[in-house]
């Protein structure tokens, strides 16, 4: 069964702090109990050694190996848990000693300093202390007897168990307290973040101009506030763009829609001649085509907005295809034909083409708007060319028309703007703006070459 993770940042931080604290407290508790157990064993060994040495002090070892026990005035404390052996024969032993413990002490008779634990239902520790004959220079000491002392480990075990239970209870209490305090601290620390997030949501929905700013905030919140301010700025820009686009669309569609409505009312008002009816229907078709062109341009911009369009196409094939499309749109030849030229390195007409790093559909939508603009203002020539540069491709559309007025150049790419709306040319004022948006969405851009005669628009796109 999969474990459920906390859904809130506060819960995750508190759980992480709890896990870290639990690990450290577990390590400290284990170390403490191991050290305490070791210390209790050392204390038991000290008590056994002291008792055995005290009893050995009351035993005289004769040169012939006999042991003479001197009975002190108060020897009840010394007799508890003490055996005196001469060789393997017991001289004294504690009264009412358990059989198993007595047997264990018998096994230690004749041993030099040795600690051992007795087996059985009760925990005992035994210690053997040797009784040596008087020392003879140049000879190793000879053991005449042994004092064996025994000590019950139950009190030490109870102390260790009590300490273990107490340390575990204390650890649980510490963890619970630490967890609650951590949650409270994290909640208090994240409260400004939650408040800022709620304010950002309200401001972005309403398009409010308020911003957080980083002044007077901690370093982390200052960075967070700066990021939120940047996000709010982008959202405000997107909102303004959408509002402007909706207003432009409404304004541009109103004129052809009004024309369609007027012509329809005129046709249905009273009978008309065949020529008048044909003229009205042609006007309606022209208005509908203009509306379709506006909608197609806007939809193309929406589909490629904020996305790097993949694909590849090649020049001059793209140029010739666009020249044929331009000629098909003007079958009477009222406007100049499009002349396709290539980079000077290919001026002889041989060699490979130039690869462009966008799909042919996107490249066509960008260049068609520029070619439509050139057809409106060209006098004798329209040129579509391509130059390959380092990591990029620059295509240009040039015409020999009057060019762009210097005062209008700054607002040339603004949607719905025209240099002279009464110049007799059709158009919604959206073509250049949408072409630049498409080019930027594909990783390129469109600029106006103000030094060139007429109007020359350069389209920079990634190389293929």
């Amino acid at each position: 069964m999969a474990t459920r993770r906390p859904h809130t940042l506060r819960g995750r931080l508190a759980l992480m702090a709890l896990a870290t604290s639990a690990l450290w407290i577990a390590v400290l508790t284990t170390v403490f109990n191991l050290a305490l157990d070791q210390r209790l064993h050392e204390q038991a060994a000290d008590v056994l050694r002291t008792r055995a040495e005290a009893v050995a002090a009351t035993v005289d070892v004769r040169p012939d190996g006999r042991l003479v026990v001197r009975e002190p005035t108060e020897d009840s404390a010394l007799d508890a848990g003490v055996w005196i052996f001469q060789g393997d024969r017991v001289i004294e032993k504690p009264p009412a000693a358990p059989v198993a413990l007595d047997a264990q002490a018998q096994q230690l008779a004749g041993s030099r300093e040795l600690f051992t634990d007795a087996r059985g239902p009760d925990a005992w520790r035994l210690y053997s202390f040797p009784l040596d004959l008087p020392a003879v220079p140049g000879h190793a000491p000879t053991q005449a007897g042994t004092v064996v002392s025994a000590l019950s480990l139950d009190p030490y075990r109870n102390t260790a168990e009590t300490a273990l239970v107490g340390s575990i209870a204390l650890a649980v209490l510490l963890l619970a307290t630490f967890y609650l305090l951590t949650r409270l601290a994290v909640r208090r620390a994240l409260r400004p973040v939650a408040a800022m997030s709620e304010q950002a949501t309200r401001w972005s929905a309403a398009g409010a101009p308020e911003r957080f700013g980083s002044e007077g905030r901690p370093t982390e919140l200052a960075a967070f506030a700066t990021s939120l301010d940047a996000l709010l700025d982008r959202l405000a820009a997107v909102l303004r763009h959408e509002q402007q686009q909706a207003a432009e669309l409404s304004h541009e569609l109103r004129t052809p829609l009004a024309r369609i409505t007027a012509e329809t009312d005129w046709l249905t008002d009273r009978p008309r001649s065949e020529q008048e009816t044909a003229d009205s229907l042609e006007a309606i078709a022209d208005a509908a085509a203009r509306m379709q062109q506006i909608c197609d341009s806007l939809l193309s911009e929406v589909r490629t907005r904020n996305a790097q369009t993949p694909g590849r196409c090649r020049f001059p094939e793209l140029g010739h295809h666009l020249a044929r499309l331009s000629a098909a749109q003007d079958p009477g030849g009222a406007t100049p034909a499009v002349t396709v030229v290539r980079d000077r390195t290919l001026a002889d007409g041989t060699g490979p083409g130039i690869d462009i790093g966008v799909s042919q559909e996107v490249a066509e939508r960008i260049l068609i708007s520029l070619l439509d603009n050139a057809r409106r203002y060209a006098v004798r020539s329209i040129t579509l060319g391509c130059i390959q540069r380092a990591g990029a491709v620059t295509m240009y559309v040039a015409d020999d028309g009057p060019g762009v007025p210097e005062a209008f150049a700054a607002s040339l790419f603004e949607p719905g703007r025209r240099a002279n709306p009464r110049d007799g040319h059709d158009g919604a004022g959206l073509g250049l703006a949408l072409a630049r948006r498409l080019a930027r969405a594909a990783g390129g851009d469109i600029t106006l070459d103000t030094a060139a005669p007429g109007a020359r628009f350069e389209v920079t796109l990634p190389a293929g």
Side-chain angles (χ1 to χ4, degrees), residues 57-332:
T58 64
V59 179
D60 293 331
V61 182
R62 301 296 174 85
D64 57 0
R66 288 185 305 110
L67 302 181
V68 177
V69 180
R70 292 180 282 103
E71 297 292 339
T73 306
E74 297 290 340
D75 64 344
S76 58
L78 298 179
D79 290 339
V82 175
W83 289 260
I84 302 176
F85 292 91
Q86 183 172 356
D88 57 359
R89 181 174 59 87
V90 62
I91 299 177
E92 287 191 6
K93 67 177 182 178
V99 177
L101 187 63
D102 192 66
Q104 189 74 19
Q106 186 72 35
Q107 293 179 2
L108 290 178
S111 302
R112 303 196 68 82
E113 291 191 45
L114 176 66
F115 289 95
T116 186
D117 294 328
R119 300 183 181 90
D122 298 326
W124 289 81
R125 169 157 286 197
L126 295 89
Y127 170 69
S128 63
F129 184 82
L131 298 174
D132 296 331
L133 293 172
V136 178
H139 293 79
T142 302
Q143 184 174 346
T146 307
V147 176
V148 178
S149 57
L151 181 66
S152 176
L153 297 179
D154 289 340
Y156 298 93
R157 179 179 294 177
N158 292 336
T159 301
E161 292 176 353
T162 302
L164 177 61
V165 173
S167 60
I168 292 176
L170 180 61
V172 173
L173 180 61
L174 287 175
L175 287 176
T177 305
F178 187 79
Y179 179 72
L180 294 177
L181 293 177
T182 301
R183 285 187 65 90
L184 292 176
V186 172
R187 176 187 297 178
R188 185 177 183 86
L190 294 180
R191 190 177 301 164
V193 179
M196 292 171 63
S197 299
E198 293 176 0
Q199 289 179 339
T201 302
R202 292 196 301 269
W203 293 347
S204 61
E210 291 86 356
R211 295 295 183 266
F212 297 103
S214 58
E215 185 176 356
R217 299 183 183 276
T219 303
E220 295 80 2
L221 289 184
F224 182 58
T226 302
S227 300
L228 283 180
D229 288 343
L231 178 61
L232 289 174
D233 291 338
R234 289 195 296 270
L235 290 176
V238 171
L239 184 61
R240 289 193 303 269
H241 169 75
E242 297 297 337
Q243 292 173 345
Q244 181 182 9
Q245 191 177 58
E248 294 165 358
L249 180 61
S250 176
H251 177 269
E252 296 300 330
L253 291 179
R254 187 180 296 117
T255 300
L257 183 59
R259 179 73 180 276
I260 292 174
T261 302
E263 294 291 342
T264 303
D265 292 340
W266 187 74
L267 281 175
T268 58
D269 185 39
R270 63 178 183 269
R272 301 292 176 184
S273 65
E274 291 184 2
Q275 183 61 39
E276 291 174 336
T277 301
D279 292 341
S280 295
L281 292 176
E282 184 178 357
I284 292 174
D286 290 340
R290 184 178 178 185
M291 292 179 64
Q292 182 178 2
Q293 179 185 8
I294 295 173
C295 294
D296 289 343
S297 299
L298 291 173
L299 290 175
S300 298
E301 189 271 334
V302 170
R303 281 195 297 265
T304 57
R305 185 191 305 165
N306 298 329
Q308 188 71 26
T309 306
R312 177 182 294 180
C313 59
R314 173 167 290 196
F315 198 91
E317 289 83 352
L318 173 65
H320 292 312
H321 176 68
L322 291 174
R324 289 192 296 269
L325 290 179
S326 179
Q329 292 179 359
D330 185 25

Side-chain angles (χ1 to χ4, degrees), residues 388-393 460-464:
Q388 188 167 18
R389 306 182 187 277
V393 173
T460 302
L461 294 173

Side-chain angles (χ1 to χ4, degrees), residues 341-398:
V341 298
R342 292 187 289 181
D343 184 56
R344 291 180 179 178
T345 58
L346 302 174
D348 59 353
T350 62
I354 300 175
D355 290 328
I356 306 171
V358 299
S359 65
Q360 181 164 332
E361 179 183 0
V362 173
E364 287 180 6
R365 291 187 182 277
I366 296 172
L367 293 172
I368 283 176
S369 298
L370 301 180
L371 290 173
D372 289 342
N373 185 77
R375 283 205 313 272
R376 293 189 186 99
Y377 299 100
V379 178
R380 290 181 300 274
S381 66
I382 300 174
T383 304
L384 173 59
C386 183
I387 302 174
Q388 188 167 18
R389 306 182 187 277
V393 173
T394 299
M395 293 180 290
Y396 59 89
V397 177

